[in-house]
Every structure is written in C-alpha cells, then in structure tokens.
Amino acid sequence: MGELRRGTPAQVATADREIVISRVIDAPRDLVFEMFTEVRHLSRWWGPEGFTTTTRAFEFRVGGEWDFVMHGPDGTDYQEWISWTEIVSPEGIVLLHGESRDDPNAFQSILTFTPDGQATRIEMRTVFPTTELRDEAVEKYHAIEGGQQTLSSLAIYVTEMVQKGAEG
C-alpha cells in the first residue's frame, strides 16, 4: 500500500488536519484485518466505551457503504456513514466517514495493518477537510480518546476471538 502517502509531501501538508492513533494488537494481521470486513465483528467492538452500534446497511467493498447509528451512553444517537475507497487485504483500508453520503465535513481515514512479530500494529490516520474540523473533533467529540478506546475495544474483542479459537 505504498500509495497511501505515508511520509510523502502530501502527508506533511495535512499534518495540521490529522489525528494519528496506533496500537499493537496481539493477533495475526489477517485476523485483525478481518475484524473490519464483517459487520458481525464491527458491531461488537466499534466505537468508544459505552457506545453501541446499529447497522442499517453494510457492504464491504470499494465503493460499498456502511450506514449505521452509534448510540451514546447518554442516549444520544449519532448518524454515521462510511464508504470504502481503497481495500488492500490485509495491508490497509482507506475510507470516507461522515454523517451521510453528502456530508461536506466527511473525513478520510487510512488504516494500515503491519505485522509486529506475532502481533499486528494498526495505525489509524484520520485527515479532516480543515484544521478547524480536526480541532472540533478533538475538543468537542474527544476524537483522540474515542479512537484510543475504539482500538482498545478491538484489542479486547480480538483477544476473545483468539482464545475461543484456541479453546475450540
């Protein structure tokens, strides 16, 4: 996935508009990647602590969409929409994420999955249209903490899957 602009001038130009979160997950890359490809997995771990997800439509393919609602612990519903723009299994995924298909404030996320011994390093690089939208996501919606919590939920879920596999 060398095309994902890691370390390129384009990335430097977006530094003031992005959030980068990474985590090492103790599972093989193929398994970690798979957790992003099926709604039965995503609905079990997606979102910050205390959030749940209801899927209205899901098709994992380039140009496919995931239309869903995230339910906050305070009862607030958040309309969400994702479209996948690039999928290179098991190396990475590029997606567009907003409230709806025509959301002018939608942001791009580049997810890379890199082997780290027997584990996998996942990096989520999120690029917002403007610095102001990035700052609002960080300050108002706690995007960094939420992203870290989401990857923590993924790590817990994958660990459970690995343990079930070892038991089964």
Side-chain angles (χ1 to χ4, degrees), residues 14-139:
T14 63
D16 66 336
R17 297 187 285 124
E18 58 183 41
I19 297 170
V20 180
I21 300 168
S22 66
R23 183 179 179 115
V24 175
I25 297 178
D26 192 19
R29 176 168 73 166
D30 288 347
L31 181 60
V32 177
F33 184 88
E34 180 185 325
M35 296 302 110
F36 285 82
T37 67
E38 297 180 29
V39 73
R40 67 184 175 97
H41 294 308
L42 279 165
S43 63
R44 299 281 307 278
W45 63 266
W46 184 268
E49 292 173 10
F51 281 74
T52 59
T53 302
T54 300
T55 296
R56 294 186 290 229
F58 183 87
E59 187 176 10
F60 185 76
R61 64 173 178 77
V62 172
E65 298 179 355
W66 181 21
D67 181 11
F68 60 105
V69 179
M70 289 181 60
H71 310 284
D74 64 356
T76 303
D77 287 342
Y78 300 90
Q79 307 302 313
E80 301 287 329
W81 170 87
I82 286 176
S83 179
W84 293 277
T85 59
E86 184 178 349
I87 301 168
V88 180
S89 177
E91 298 160 18
I93 299 168
V94 181
L95 57 88
L96 192 61
H97 187 160
E99 292 180 2
S100 63
R101 179 180 292 120
D102 56 356
D103 184 351
N105 297 327
F107 51 86
Q108 180 185 60
S109 289
I110 302 164
L111 300 106
T112 55
F113 304 83
T114 308
D116 188 345
Q118 298 298 311
T120 303
R121 173 172 292 281
I122 181 170
E123 179 183 274
M124 292 189 334
R125 177 177 303 278
T126 302
V127 181
F128 293 85
T130 66
T131 302
E132 293 75 23
L133 286 169
R134 191 263 332 253
D135 292 348
E136 179 183 25
V138 169
E139 294 162 15

Side-chain angles (χ1 to χ4, degrees), residues 126-166:
T126 302
V127 181
F128 293 85
T130 66
T131 302
E132 293 75 23
L133 286 169
R134 191 263 332 253
D135 292 348
E136 179 183 25
V138 169
E139 294 162 15
K140 184 176 179 183
Y141 297 106
H142 311 286
I144 294 171
E145 297 89 343
Q148 291 168 337
Q149 290 172 8
T150 297
L151 290 185
S152 177
S153 295
L154 170 61
I156 291 166
Y157 180 69
V158 170
T159 299
E160 291 171 358
M161 296 291 293
V162 168
Q163 288 174 346
K164 286 179 184 175

